[in-house]
Amino acid sequence: MSESSPGKISNVLNETRVFPPSEAFAKNAAIGSMAAYEALYAESLADTEGFWEKQAKEHLHWFEPFHKTLEWDEPFAKWFVGGKTNVSYNCLDAHVLAGRGQRVALYWEGEPAGDRRTITYADLLRDVSLFANGLKKLGIKKGDRVSIYMPMVPELAVAMLACARIGAIHSVIFGGFSAEAIADRNNDAKAKLLITSDGGWRRGKALALKATADEALAKSPTVEHCIVLNRLNNNPPMVECRDIWWHDLISDVPADCPAEPLDSEDSLFILYTSGSTGKPKGIRHTTAGYNLYAKRTFEWVFDHRAEDIFWCTADCGWITGHSYIVYGPMSAGATQVMYEGAPNWPEEDRFWEIIERYKVSILYTAPTAIRAFIKWGDHHVDKHDLSSLRLLGSVGEGINPEAWMWYYEKIGGGRCPIVDTWWQTETGGIMMSPLPGAIPCKPGSCTRPLPGIIPRVLDDSLAEVGTNHGGMLCIEKPWPGMLRGIWGDDARYQDQYWKLVPHMYLTGDNARQDEDGYFWIMGRIDDVINVSGHRLSTIEVESALVSHPAVAEAAAVGRPDEIKGQAIAVFVTLKNHEPTDAMRDALKKHVRKEIGALAVPDDVRFTSSLPKTRSGKIMRRLLRDIAAGKEGTGDTSTLEDYSVLVRLRNDDES
Ligand code: WT7
């Protein structure tokens, strides 16, 4: 654990406003009162395994039934043991066979004007079956790892579902990552195949994804083939024998590809996320438990109905896109909007235009986007009719009450509940959130746990803290959507999540519970920065900096940022180099190359030495204060010596 001490956190946020659902909303909701929520929650705790057993039998298709609900060999869980199912079957075949093939699955909107496609469930089943046969043609089998590096086009979902159909394990790599980051992930997973595109559109610019993929493939010895989707017609160089166009691959394959019956615990995907060490962790999720959890949490939290048009603005490169664009909504047969591009292209009203066009009824977005909308101004919102909206959602980081109120009033017209959903890549799906017809909202609180989830807040001595005291947030029991491990590293899985607090899952977040039993998330306990709702570890940024030949030592910290939540500030000691603006730019470029644009530091400060504790740990808390204070920025001529501050501060740090 870092020097930041959990368990002793003062609560500075005192938010007392309460927003119950309107009578009309509650009347139509599946779970329409606090009593109904309490009853469901109590049922789930009285016999948790029995509860999930019933859910699994009712809500998934089984080729073969499971014979045991949970096998818990702490900390390794197996859910629905012995059962055979298929996630792509549950997302596609189940609807088509039930006569719902003509339902729209995706209203896809590309970034360039007028670039639109409407895709039904029957269309999606056809495309997924063809592509799955294409994967088989390349020799991809159950258990093989497939990296996917694509823009937000329907084929990204098709590629994920096609892997799921044949039991290949996908690893989606966000389209903003660099060649280095892709190669690291390919190599850690020993991926056999990379699926990419010649590019995608972002803020009017064509992103050359294939060029980045080529650079990554030069360092990815396990990857045998690269499938390339033609999105831009920009004719990237194709490597003979290795590269194959998506359309050529499927031109001569059979149309039918039955979904393979897979074991409940067969791996569905790996998704890399940041931890507090430099090496990204491949979070591993499996078939049945994940599928059930994504589906049911989607239905509970978004109170989903057949007539809804759901829009989750996340990218499929993150867990939110996995669980609440692909697997949750599609298992539930939802009709969705999927958008390729930026919220401010060609103008800052793009989201509101999309909502008006498709009559979106449920919008699920991130606080970082909401803060940007507030900054861009109400006039962009006022140009559009947003009366189709009935429910709003937020995810990725805490939403500050001011942004919450703006979202509620300006976007929701004061009539839409806001589901502030707390969860993680590791949890697979939403863990705490208001159920919108039942649980009154408080701005800034993720309110209460979902069925089967028991959160606890503990102090350093592992005792439960009292009401309104902050502490480490832990989860008491296993749940079907939980991660099953870190790819190839059981020891790290045990160490990171199950060691500090025995018999509980350690979330890595701090939280407090108020007098109404509502939870308030208070940020991370480890050295992880949350930039625009995405986790980055300080050590990854530091390692990237130190890999530059001019850098001796580096420390990265988060500082508050109005739009991004946190911005990255780095303190750098150079080896016999001048601290110039050119050096600052070179270091930023270097981080962009090593990790990607989202990790580029906002502030680079040069120092002759870093402040350290007596045991040699960098004093991040002190650096965080300095970064937040912003003094000294922009002045490249002076070289600060932050270590001198240690003499003043040493007592409370070591
Ligand atoms: C971390 C997980 C969950 C999908 C997107 C991020 C923070 C997430 C909230 C929320 C306060 C939140 C936590 C969590 N977080 N949602 N509603 N309120 N904080 O997934 O990259 O795995 O990050 O994001 O710190 O631990 P992730």
Side-chain angles (χ1 to χ4, degrees):
M1 194 100 349
S2 66
E3 319 79 67
S4 56
S5 149
K8 291 234 177 64
I9 311 150
S10 48
N11 156 33
V12 288
L13 190 68
N14 189 14
E15 174 59 56
T16 53
R17 289 170 285 196
V18 181
F19 296 83
S22 69
E23 241 171 73
F25 191 100
K27 201 172 81 211
N28 292 318
I31 301 161
S33 67
M34 203 58 186
Y37 161 74
E38 298 282 14
L40 179 69
Y41 189 62
E43 181 200 336
S44 78
L45 294 205
D47 172 12
T48 306
E49 286 176 39
F51 175 81
W52 289 120
E53 176 187 342
K54 187 165 149 244
Q55 294 289 328
K57 284 182 174 159
E58 277 173 25
H59 294 279
L60 294 182
H61 163 85
W62 294 96
F63 293 105
E64 277 174 43
F66 54 92
H67 56 77
K68 193 164 185 218
T69 302
L70 172 65
E71 217 174 272
W72 182 227
D73 176 13
E74 192 187 300
F76 300 98
K78 288 184 179 155
W79 283 90
F80 313 120
V81 182
K84 296 248 187 291
T85 184
N86 183 292
V87 180
S88 116
Y89 185 100
N90 293 319
C91 289
L92 304 172
D93 307 58
H95 310 307
V96 174
L97 291 170
R100 295 189 297 268
Q102 292 319 305
R103 249 181 93 78
V104 173
L106 292 174
Y107 288 113
W108 178 76
E109 169 119 348
E111 194 188 76
D115 195 359
R116 298 189 183 114
R117 288 157 67 185
T118 299
I119 298 167
T120 65
Y121 275 95
D123 295 336
L124 210 51
L125 176 57
R126 180 202 58 217
D127 293 349
V128 167
S129 300
L130 282 171
F131 193 66
N133 280 330
L135 293 177
K136 285 188 192 165
K137 195 170 84 179
L138 286 184
I140 299 299
K141 301 177 308 297
K142 180 177 151 177
D144 286 343
R145 274 80 63 205
V146 173
S147 294
I148 303 178
Y149 180 66
M150 291 181 79
M152 277 292 283
V153 290
E155 286 80 1
L156 170 49
V158 169
M160 293 165 72
L161 288 160
C163 288
R165 199 161 185 83
I166 65 171
I169 304 168
H170 62 67
S171 158
V172 184
I173 303 169
F174 173 61
F177 276 119
S178 68
E180 290 296 327
I182 303 168
D184 281 351
R185 286 156 177 74
N186 285 341
N187 293 330
D188 187 78
K190 300 197 172 57
K192 216 168 143 182
L193 172 71
L194 177 72
I195 306 171
T196 189
S197 150
D198 59 347
W201 292 101
R202 188 82 191 173
R203 251 171 230 118
K205 276 207 217 99
L207 301 177
L209 293 188
K210 176 63 164 58
T212 310
D214 282 339
E215 210 185 314
L217 287 178
K219 298 176 200 157
S220 309
T222 60
V223 178
E224 295 165 9
H225 291 285
C226 177
I227 302 175
V228 186
L229 176 79
N230 182 15
R231 159 92 184 105
L232 298 179
N233 270 322
N234 69 1
N235 276 318
M238 298 287 278
V239 176
E240 218 175 313
C241 299
R242 188 195 73 186
D243 298 352
I244 177 162
W245 286 107
W246 180 301
H247 53 266
D248 288 339
L249 180 74
I250 60 168
S251 64
D252 60 353
V253 297
D256 190 38
C257 177
E260 183 158 338
L262 296 172
D263 192 90
S264 291
E265 283 298 332
D266 279 337
S267 295
L268 175 65
F269 65 84
I270 308 170
L271 184 59
Y272 285 87
T273 187
S274 298
S276 50
T277 72
K279 191 170 170 266
K281 306 184 272 198
I283 302 299
R284 186 172 71 90
H285 284 285
T286 58
T287 296
Y290 171 82
N291 193 171
L292 179 71
Y293 199 70
K295 181 182 187 193
R296 293 304 284 142
T297 54
F298 171 74
E299 291 169 333
W300 284 323
V301 171
F302 298 103
D303 183 41
H304 179 255
R305 302 187 212 140
E307 64 272 21
D308 275 320
I309 309 286
F310 178 74
W311 183 22
C312 166
T313 68
D315 190 286
C316 287
W318 311 111
I319 191 68
T320 307
H322 283 59
S323 300
Y324 300 110
I325 296 178
V326 182
Y327 297 117
M330 290 190 185
S331 308
T335 295
Q336 301 185 73
V337 168
M338 180 180 187
Y339 173 53
E340 176 188 31
N344 54 351
W345 191 267
E347 299 292 335
E348 280 87 355
D349 67 341
R350 186 66 187 265
F351 272 26
W352 321 126
E353 188 205 289
I354 291 174
I355 289 171
E356 183 174 19
R357 172 183 317 280
Y358 298 102
K359 303 204 166 25
V360 170
S361 60
I362 307 173
L363 174 68
Y364 190 32
T365 194
T368 181
I370 297 166
R371 289 189 295 264
F373 298 140
I374 295 172
K375 192 174 146 207
W376 294 337
D378 288 7
H379 56 288
H380 296 294
V381 184
D382 294 336
K383 280 193 278 190
H384 298 281
D385 174 8
L386 304 183
S387 61
S388 57
L389 289 171
R390 68 177 194 90
L391 179 61
L392 302 173
S394 169
V395 61
E397 60 183 308
I399 175 165
N400 39 310
E402 277 24 82
W404 196 101
M405 287 309 302
W406 183 87
Y407 196 30
Y408 186 76
E409 278 164 0
K410 194 71 210 167
I411 305 307
R415 67 180 183 280
C416 308
I418 297 178
V419 289
D420 176 352
T421 61
W422 176 83
W423 58 296
Q424 310 176 295
T425 304
E426 292 88 340
T427 68
I430 297 165
M431 301 289 275
M432 292 198 255
S433 167
L435 296 190
I439 302 179
C441 300
K442 295 187 189 183
S445 169
C446 58
T447 76
R448 301 280 301 266
L450 295 197
I453 305 304
I454 310 173
R456 300 271 182 225
V457 182
L458 307 180
D459 67 17
D460 281 348
S461 63
L462 310 185
E464 276 203 59
V465 300
T467 300
N468 279 325
H469 285 283
M472 301 181 282
L473 177 65
C474 301
I475 309 292
E476 199 183 289
K477 282 190 182 184
W479 65 102
M482 67 188 277
L483 77 164
R484 297 302 193 269
I486 294 176
W487 184 257
D489 202 343
D490 282 349
R492 189 174 178 195
Y493 166 68
Q494 273 171 294
D495 228 56
Q496 187 113 38
Y497 303 107
W498 301 94
K499 203 163 120 196
L500 188 68
V501 182
H503 314 305
M504 287 203 194
Y505 167 79
L506 180 72
T507 67
D509 282 349
N510 282 314
R512 79 177 157 97
Q513 204 175 4
D514 72 13
E515 53 286 350
D516 296 322
Y518 278 43
F519 287 86
W520 300 75
I521 304 295
M522 302 167 79
R524 306 279 311 177
I525 51 183
D526 53 17
D527 288 332
V528 172
I529 318 179
N530 191 322
V531 180
S532 302
H534 304 303
R535 269 197 278 172
L536 281 172
S537 78
T538 51
I539 297 186
E540 278 173 282
V541 180
E542 287 160 7
S543 307
L545 285 163
V546 172
S547 73
H548 188 282
V551 174
E553 200 173 31
V557 295
R559 66 155 167 82
D561 182 89
E562 212 186 304
I563 303 292
K564 295 195 279 192
Q566 284 192 300
I568 303 172
V570 299
F571 295 81
V572 175
T573 311
L574 296 172
K575 301 177 190 154
N576 292 324
H577 283 268
E578 286 304 307
T580 58
D581 276 336
M583 177 60 73
R584 181 173 281 138
D585 289 343
L587 294 181
K588 288 185 180 184
K589 264 205 199 106
H590 185 69
V591 174
R592 178 187 298 265
K593 179 175 155 288
E594 292 292 312
I595 309 177
L598 79 166
V600 173
D602 298 80
D603 302 342
V604 178
R605 308 240 196 141
F606 295 110
T607 170
S608 54
S609 60
L610 289 166
K612 297 204 180 135
T613 62
R614 267 168 288 216
S615 62
K617 276 197 279 176
I618 293 171
M619 296 163 73
R620 289 170 200 290
R621 203 192 309 168
L622 176 57
L623 292 176
R624 270 197 288 270
D625 290 348
I626 295 167
K630 284 189 170 178
E631 83 272 24
T633 43
D635 182 1
T636 54
S637 58
T638 53
L639 199 59
E640 310 259 5
D641 180 0
Y642 292 114
S643 66
V644 297
L645 294 168
V646 177
R647 266 159 253 148
L648 307 170
R649 308 279 299 251
N650 218 358
D651 289 344
D652 69 308
E653 284 288 343
S654 55

